[in-house]
């Protein structure tokens, strides 16, 4: 068979109840065995197939599905009852179905076994998703009728991740059309990062550090941004700029985001109980923000930890805010209804519609660090930063400047009446206990 071939599902719960099905599975020799022996063997085979980690499919020579096991249900999205009697082309994209009949006929005319690793292809799941699979084929003939069994294995997560990274590393995006050996090395490094990151999540090796947010005029700590940190025993300290893209490509960003939310809420509750309530901002990933029921997840985390929504700021990037505007606005309104505040991060780096921005329930804008780097010497950076501050104030928003590293930058922000800043000028991100030592009882109003 060719790359387009798929054979059909094995349903022991339906077909294994008949002696004919049992005899087909066991081979012709089982026809001569005592009935009790055949029934016992049938039961053993049913249990074996139900426990098989691979999808197991059985089709007749016309391509109709006779049986499928539970693993096939998970792989395809169809129940065994739904698959029974369907044509095997149910697993093929429509444009490939015409080619399949001839391929299947060739297989039954000159049947031959195929081992795992010889036939990689994509299976069409219920709902339209294509899933990479590996297929092993077996065949036999009973009373003149030909049958084929396919063992279908979902390609491991590592394989899918490798394909994704390989494509990103070897193709130009168009053409938060080129290849080189260095890129191939980068792919392998990313694969190692993904494996180590998955272990770090499971073993609790991620940490949250907190960078103080300080009143420009008062010099008091008025909040903190929770920033992800990872120290790996093998790789050492890994920058978020390095591992966050890997997390996004592999899907690990979702469990990481959930952990950040829970941990930050726990820390908010600790500071409230200590009499030093502090507003904490967390970064919301694009995948996390687009999840159905995201606001409910926030509500549940607040309830579990005892944190109060008024002390939680949720930062989304400008690019996320400008994607599917109506859905974004609905999601943000649900978050504000909980009592949280919404912060627009990296403002000025995208192409926001000011009319749309005005309609969003955003409390704060953050000036991207790139605009502050040239202040005060770069007139362009100073002009842009001043324009952003003026815009925020005209919309009734608070302004947070990030990446402040010099006294001259702070003096500029003071003259421009920017309310809050964060950066190395005051402190790097630190462990929660270190920030606690800097706090004194106060009530944040920003």
């Amino acid at each position: 068979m060719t790359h387009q071939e798929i054979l059909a599902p094995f349903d022991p719960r339906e077909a294994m109840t008949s002696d004919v099905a049992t005899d087909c599975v066991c081979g012709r020799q089982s026809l001569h065995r005592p009935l009790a022996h055949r029934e016992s063997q049938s039961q053993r085979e049913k249990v074996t197939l139900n426990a098989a980690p691979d999808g197991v499919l059985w089709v007749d020579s016309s391509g109709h599905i006779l049986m499928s096991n539970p693993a096939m249900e998970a792989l395809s999205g169809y129940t065994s009852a739904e698959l029974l009697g369907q044509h095997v082309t149910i697993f093929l994209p429509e444009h490939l179905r015409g080619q399949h009949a001839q391929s299947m006929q060739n297989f039954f005319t000159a049947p031959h076994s195929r081992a795992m690793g010889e036939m990689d292809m994509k299976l069409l799941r219920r709902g339209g998703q294509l899933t990479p699979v590996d297929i092993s084929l077996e065949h036999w003939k009973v009373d003149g009728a030909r049958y084929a069994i396919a063992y279908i294995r979902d390609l491991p997560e590592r394989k899918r991740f490798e394909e994704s990274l390989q494509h990103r590393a070897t193709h130009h995006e168009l053409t938060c059309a080129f290849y080189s050996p260095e890129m191939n090395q980068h792919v392998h490094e990313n694969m190692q990062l993904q494996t180590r990151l998955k272990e770090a999540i499971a073993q609790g090796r991620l940490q949250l550090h907190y960078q103080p947010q300080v009143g420009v005029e008062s010099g008091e700590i008025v909040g903190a941004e929770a920033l992800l940190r990872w120290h790996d025993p093998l790789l050492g300290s890994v920058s978020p700029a390095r591992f966050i893209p890997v997390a996004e490509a592999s899907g690990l960003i979702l469990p990481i985001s959930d952990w950040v939310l829970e941990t930050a809420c726990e820390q908010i509750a600790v500071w409230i109980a200590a009499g030093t309530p502090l507003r904490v901002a967390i970064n919301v990933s694009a995948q996390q923000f687009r999840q159905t029921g995201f606001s409910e997840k926030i509500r549940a985390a607040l309830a579990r930890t005892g944190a109060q929504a008024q002390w939680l700021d949720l930062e989304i990037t400008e690019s996320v805010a400008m994607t599917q505007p109506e859905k974004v606005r609905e999601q943000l309104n649900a978050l504000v209804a909980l009592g949280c505040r919404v912060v627009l991060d990296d403002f000025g780096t995208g192409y926001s519609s000011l009319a749309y921005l005005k309609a969003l329930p955003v409390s704060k804008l953050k000036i991207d660090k790139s605009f502050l780097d040239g202040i005060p010497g770069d007139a362009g950076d100073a002009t842009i930063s001043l324009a952003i501050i003026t815009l925020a104030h005209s919309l009734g928003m608070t302004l947070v400047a990030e990446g402040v590293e010099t006294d001259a930058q702070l003096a500029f922000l003071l003259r421009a009446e920017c309310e809050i800043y964060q950066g190395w000028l005051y402190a790097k991100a630190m462990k929660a206990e270190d920030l606690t030592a800097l706090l004194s009882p106060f009530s944040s109003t920003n």
Side-chain angles (χ1 to χ4, degrees):
M1 291 198 293
T2 68
H3 175 78
Q4 288 80 21
E5 294 171 316
I6 293 186
L7 292 180
F10 231 126
D11 185 357
R13 293 170 296 182
E14 295 287 340
M16 294 298 282
T17 57
S18 72
D19 288 341
V20 173
T22 302
D23 294 339
C24 289
V25 173
C26 301
R28 273 192 267 182
Q29 291 182 354
S30 67
L31 293 171
H32 306 294
R33 294 175 181 170
L35 179 59
H37 179 83
R38 294 204 304 270
E39 290 176 346
S40 175
Q41 181 163 321
S42 173
Q43 183 61 31
R44 291 196 303 271
E45 289 163 351
K46 181 186 294 188
V47 172
T48 300
L49 286 172
N50 283 345
D54 294 334
V56 184
L57 310 177
W58 184 22
V59 295
D60 61 19
S61 59
S62 67
H64 288 92
I65 298 170
L66 303 179
M67 291 188 280
S68 67
N69 72 339
M72 195 62 210
E73 294 184 12
L75 183 60
S76 70
Y78 295 98
T79 66
S80 292
E82 290 173 319
L83 289 175
L84 190 62
Q86 293 282 351
H87 198 273
V88 72
T89 52
I90 192 174
F91 299 121
L92 292 173
E94 189 169 352
H95 69 281
L96 296 178
R97 294 177 182 178
Q99 305 174 26
H100 181 263
Q102 185 60 50
S103 298
M104 186 172 62
Q105 181 179 343
N106 292 341
F107 176 78
F108 281 109
T109 300
H112 52 284
S113 299
R114 287 180 182 265
M116 285 289 182
E118 296 182 14
M119 189 188 300
D120 287 359
M121 59 173 299
K122 292 185 177 180
L123 177 145
L124 183 66
R125 287 176 48 84
R126 180 179 207 152
Q129 307 94 334
L130 288 172
T131 298
V133 294
D134 192 2
I135 299 181
S136 171
L137 296 177
E138 295 293 344
H139 62 91
W140 56 72
K141 187 176 181 181
V142 177
D143 295 334
R146 294 184 181 274
Y147 300 91
I149 284 185
Y151 300 90
I152 300 185
R153 179 170 298 169
D154 189 11
L155 285 181
E157 176 183 325
R158 179 183 177 91
K159 173 74 172 179
R160 289 195 293 270
F161 179 68
E162 180 179 359
E163 289 179 348
S164 172
L165 291 179
Q166 186 72 34
H167 181 81
R168 292 182 182 210
T170 59
H171 292 77
H172 188 275
E173 210 171 275
L174 296 179
T175 67
C176 312
F178 62 88
Y179 170 82
S180 72
E182 291 77 14
M183 290 180 178
N184 189 50
Q185 177 64 29
H186 187 65
V187 168
H188 289 289
E189 289 174 358
N190 282 349
M191 289 171 60
Q192 182 190 39
L193 265 183
Q194 188 255 357
T195 300
R196 301 294 298 177
L197 183 56
K198 191 172 184 179
E199 292 177 0
I201 296 170
Q203 298 172 11
R205 291 204 297 264
L206 297 178
Q207 291 184 323
L208 275 189
H209 284 193
Y210 298 85
Q211 185 169 47
Q213 295 181 331
V214 184
V216 171
E217 186 172 357
S218 69
E220 293 182 345
I221 298 175
V222 296
E225 180 180 3
L227 297 171
L228 199 58
R229 295 292 182 262
W230 174 29
H231 183 85
D232 183 79
L234 177 64
L235 304 176
S237 293
V238 187
S239 167
R242 184 72 182 91
F243 71 80
I244 290 297
V246 172
E248 290 173 338
S250 65
L252 291 176
I253 194 65
L254 290 178
I256 289 175
S257 297
D258 289 345
W259 177 84
V260 168
L261 171 62
E262 194 81 10
T263 304
C265 286
E266 288 174 353
Q267 187 58 52
I268 289 173
V270 168
W271 279 326
I272 291 174
T276 56
L278 190 66
R279 188 176 304 284
V280 174
I282 64 171
N283 293 282
V284 178
S285 70
Q287 294 181 43
Q288 184 186 26
F289 182 73
R290 292 170 185 146
Q291 281 184 304
T292 301
F294 175 56
S295 61
E296 176 58 26
K297 179 174 288 189
I298 297 290
R299 187 205 64 75
L302 292 168
R304 280 193 303 270
T305 60
Q308 298 172 10
Q310 70 185 79
W311 299 105
L312 179 64
D313 282 0
L314 300 169
E315 295 190 1
I316 64 168
T317 63
E318 182 182 10
S319 58
V320 170
M322 295 302 127
T323 303
Q324 296 182 306
E326 292 307 316
K327 289 185 178 180
V328 168
R329 180 162 57 184
E330 181 181 343
Q331 188 82 298
L332 294 183
N333 283 330
L335 297 174
V336 171
L338 292 175
C340 302
R341 292 193 181 183
V342 175
V343 182
L344 197 60
D345 196 11
D346 298 338
F347 185 75
T349 61
Y351 301 94
S352 298
S353 163
L354 297 183
Y356 174 60
L357 177 62
K358 184 178 179 180
L360 292 179
V362 173
S363 298
K364 297 179 183 176
L365 294 183
K366 293 190 78 173
I367 304 177
D368 188 70
K369 179 181 182 298
S370 62
F371 295 124
L372 292 173
D373 285 342
I375 292 176
D378 190 308
D381 282 349
T383 300
I384 292 174
S385 297
L386 185 59
I388 293 173
I389 294 171
T390 302
L391 172 64
H393 289 165
S394 70
L395 296 175
M397 299 176 185
T398 300
L399 221 297
V400 182
E402 58 183 351
V404 178
E405 299 179 355
T406 68
D407 289 324
Q409 290 172 337
L410 181 58
F412 169 84
L413 296 174
L414 182 62
R415 291 193 301 273
E417 299 182 346
C418 177
E419 292 88 350
I420 302 171
Y421 79 97
Q422 65 184 87
W424 288 8
L425 178 63
Y426 187 90
K428 296 183 180 181
M430 62 188 74
K431 294 181 180 179
E433 54 266 33
D434 295 330
L435 180 53
T436 300
L438 298 177
L439 300 179
S440 57
F442 67 92
S443 177
S444 173
T445 59
N446 294 296

